Every structure is written in C-alpha cells, then in structure tokens.
C-alpha cells in the first residue's frame, strides 16, 4: 500500500518546469507567426516580381511606340528587314569640334522649291494602299562608291504627283548638306529592278497598316522605316511638326534625311548642347531639348551636325 501510494503521488512541478513549458508554447506560437509572415513575404515578393514584369513590359511597349522623329523606325542597315527599333551597329561619324556653338545650319533656302509647297493638299484618313512609282532619275548624285538605289512611290488618290515628289526628294538627297557629304554614299533613283530603299508617301491609315505589320504603332501621326521601306506619313509631309520652326520644305528634308539616315545604318542621336543644331538623326518631333531645329546632317562647311548617340 505504501508503495502504491507512493506511485500515485507525483512530485509537484517546479516553478521552473512550468515556465519552460510555457516558454516552449510561446516559442511555437511565435515560430508559427514568423512562418506566416515569411509566407506573406514570399507572396508579396512574387506579386512584386510579377508587378515588375508588367512594368517592364509596359515600358518596352511605350518605348517601341515612341521610337521616332515624326517617325517610328525599325532602324537597321540596308536590306535588313527588322521589325524592331534597335539602332544600327554602324558607328556615327566623328563629331568635329567647334570653337563656339553653332546657331544653326545655313539659313539659305532648300535646294529647290516644291511644286506642292503652296498648294492646299488634302489629307484623307486612309487610301487604297496602291502606289504609283516615279520614273528613273538618271545618274547618281554624290561621289561615294556605295550607291543606294531608291524608288519613290506615292499612294494613289492623293493630291501629290509621283514625279513632283521624286523631284523634291532627289533635290534633298543631292544637297551638299545631305548624306552624300559623308563621301561614302551616293544615290540613284530607279523605277524598276533591284533597289535598296523605297520611299513611300502614304495616307495615315496606310502608314499604320504598313508599319503595324512590322509591330510598330504609328497611330496615324508619324512615319516609319521597316526594312527597305521608308514610309512617309502624308500628314507630316503636308503639315510639318509643331516642334520644327521652319518652312515645310525644310521639314520634308528632315523626314527624308532622318529616315534615309536609318536606311544607311545611322542610329538616333540627341541634342549636343543648348543653342546648337539638332541632329538630323534626333527625334525632333519629341522636343528639341534646347537645340535649334535643323533638317540636315552636315553644314555647308562639311561639319557633321551630330550629337550623342541614344542607346
């Protein structure tokens, strides 16, 4: 009996043992809470990562939408049928230093007055998507050994004749401030056979269709270049740009020089400094950043009017 009684009796738990059990219970509760917090943190991190992915996709989409100077470009060397907006790997010419900032290129008029300069030209929203090709332009302009064969095509049904547009574009390309000044390129207009560039003047709707097929969104407002196609928006050809302070003929020169510049492998550039001429390869329709509007890649002295490359 005494032995059984002694078995039934258990020593009272010490105060320290009770504290240890309570401590372990609290520890388990805390660790469970920390696990929940860690789980929430992981969930938030995943959500943040997904949110970051959306932000990157949106940034990329926005950048692709706005990659132009009155122009959304698929900038690539000749015959590279690229649908992206990556700059060409061809280096820009070296910038020549000047002892004082230039206030702009020559103030002299464009090489020839456009027959359409004073004509009221309607800008229909869209057109048939078919084109008339201007005739052959004769001998090449420029002394460069790299001959760029180009066509001029005007969408049917608009108030611009293919021959008139071709004459204006030829004068731009022949100007001493144009791309022939690099000593590398010359330009020959053709109407058939092989060619390197096709300059197409088209209604906003047709521009959207051609550029959109390459994944570029012009929204009825701007130009693009995709592969060999330099697609000029009739709206810009007729109305110019609010960022360009000059006659419409000079703005047309900027369109051609910018897009043909991409065609020969030039990438985008930005303003080299306040009061200096904006590079022809700058997206001037997006703002001049302190520069002076300018249509030409070179000045009459043969200095390249460039700026820092845009990544």
């Amino acid at each position: 009996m005494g032995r059984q009684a002694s078995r039934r009796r258990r020593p009272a738990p010490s105060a320290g043992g009770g504290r240890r059990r309570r401590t372990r219970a609290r520890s388990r509760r805390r660790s469970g809470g920390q696990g929940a917090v860690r789980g929430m943190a992981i969930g938030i991190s995943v959500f943040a990562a997904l949110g970051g992915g959306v932000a990157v996709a949106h940034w990329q989409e926005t950048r692709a939408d706005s990659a132009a100077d009155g122009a959304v470009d698929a900038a690539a060397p000749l015959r590279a049928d690229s649908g992206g907006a990556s700059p060409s790997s061809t280096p820009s010419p070296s910038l020549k230093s000047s002892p004082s900032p230039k206030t702009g290129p020559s103030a002299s008029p464009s090489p020839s007055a456009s027959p359409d300069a004073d004509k009221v030209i309607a800008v229909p929203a869209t057109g048939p998507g078919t084109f008339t090709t201007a005739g052959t332009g004769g001998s090449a302009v420029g002394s460069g050994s790299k001959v760029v064969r180009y066509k001029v095509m005007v969408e049917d049904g608009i108030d611009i004749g293919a021959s008139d547009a071709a004459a204006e574009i030829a004068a731009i390309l022949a100007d001493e401030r144009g791309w022939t000044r690099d000593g590398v390129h010359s330009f020959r207009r053709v109407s058939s056979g092989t060619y390197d560039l096709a300059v197409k003047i088209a209604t906003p709707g047709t521009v959207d269709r051609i550029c959109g097929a390459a994944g570029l969104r012009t929204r009825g407002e701007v130009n693009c270049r995709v592969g060999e196609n330099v697609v000029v928006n009739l709206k810009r050809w007729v109305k110019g740009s609010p960022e360009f302070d000059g006659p419409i003929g000079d703005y047309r020169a900027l369109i051609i020089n910018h897009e043909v510049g991409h065609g020969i492998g030039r990438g985008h550039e930005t303003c080299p400094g306040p009061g200096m001429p904006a590079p022809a390869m700058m997206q001037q329709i997006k703002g001049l950043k302190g520069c002076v509007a300018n249509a030409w890649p070179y000045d009459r002295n043969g200095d390249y009017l460039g700026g820092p490359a845009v990544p």
Side-chain angles (χ1 to χ4, degrees):
M1 288 291 292
R3 197 179 306 125
Q4 291 173 348
S6 66
R7 286 197 200 96
R8 284 194 296 271
R9 286 196 296 271
R10 297 286 186 271
S14 66
R19 282 195 297 273
R20 281 193 297 273
R21 284 194 294 275
R22 287 193 296 274
T23 300
R24 285 195 296 271
R26 283 196 297 271
S27 178
R28 284 193 296 272
R29 286 195 296 272
R30 281 198 300 271
S31 65
Q34 289 169 350
V37 170
R38 282 196 297 272
M40 291 174 64
I42 292 170
I44 291 170
S45 297
V46 172
F47 178 79
L50 292 174
V54 171
V56 169
H58 174 72
W59 175 82
Q60 289 171 338
E61 179 184 23
T62 301
R63 182 163 178 174
D65 289 346
S66 61
D69 159 67
V72 176
D73 322 283
L78 289 175
R79 297 194 179 281
D81 193 7
S82 167
S86 59
S88 167
S89 59
T90 303
S92 296
S94 301
L95 303 183
K96 296 187 179 181
S97 59
S98 173
S100 60
K102 296 171 186 170
T103 57
S106 170
S108 60
S110 295
S112 65
S114 166
D116 298 316
D118 298 322
K119 179 181 176 182
V120 177
I121 301 172
V123 183
T126 193
T130 57
F131 291 83
T132 295
T133 302
T136 300
S139 59
V141 296
S143 59
S145 60
K146 193 168 184 178
V147 181
V148 178
R149 294 165 59 88
Y150 72 98
K151 296 168 70 173
V152 174
M153 306 171 70
V154 175
E155 187 170 13
D156 296 325
I158 64 176
D159 294 336
I160 296 176
S163 59
D164 290 341
E168 187 167 4
I169 291 168
I172 292 167
L173 293 174
D175 192 278
E176 64 179 354
R177 297 165 292 176
W179 289 115
T180 59
R181 198 61 178 261
D182 66 4
V184 175
H185 295 92
S186 56
F187 298 88
R188 181 194 299 274
R189 190 172 83 240
V190 299
S191 59
S192 61
T194 61
Y195 61 92
D196 300 298
L197 294 175
V199 181
K200 298 179 177 180
I201 300 177
T203 57
T206 298
V207 172
D208 288 351
R209 288 195 296 275
I210 296 173
C211 303
L216 301 174
R217 295 199 290 175
T218 47
R219 296 192 174 104
E221 291 293 330
V222 293
N223 317 298
C224 82
R225 191 190 71 83
V226 180
E228 72 275 9
N229 291 309
V230 170
V231 191
V232 178
N233 193 313
L234 178 65
K235 185 174 183 179
R236 297 278 72 85
W237 189 259
V238 171
K239 298 184 177 182
S241 164
E243 292 292 339
F244 191 90
D245 183 17
I248 190 62
D250 282 354
Y251 187 70
R252 292 174 184 174
L254 174 59
I255 292 174
I256 297 303
N257 287 323
H258 185 95
E259 298 303 335
V260 170
H262 282 314
I264 62 175
R266 305 285 176 174
H268 283 141
E269 299 172 359
T270 191
C271 178
M276 298 186 73
M281 296 312 300
M282 181 177 173
Q283 297 169 292
Q284 294 184 37
I285 200 170
K286 295 170 66 176
L288 297 175
K289 304 182 187 301
C291 271
V292 178
N294 164 51
W296 303 98
Y298 293 85
D299 68 12
R300 292 198 183 277
N301 295 323
D303 290 335
Y304 182 68
L305 303 175
V310 175

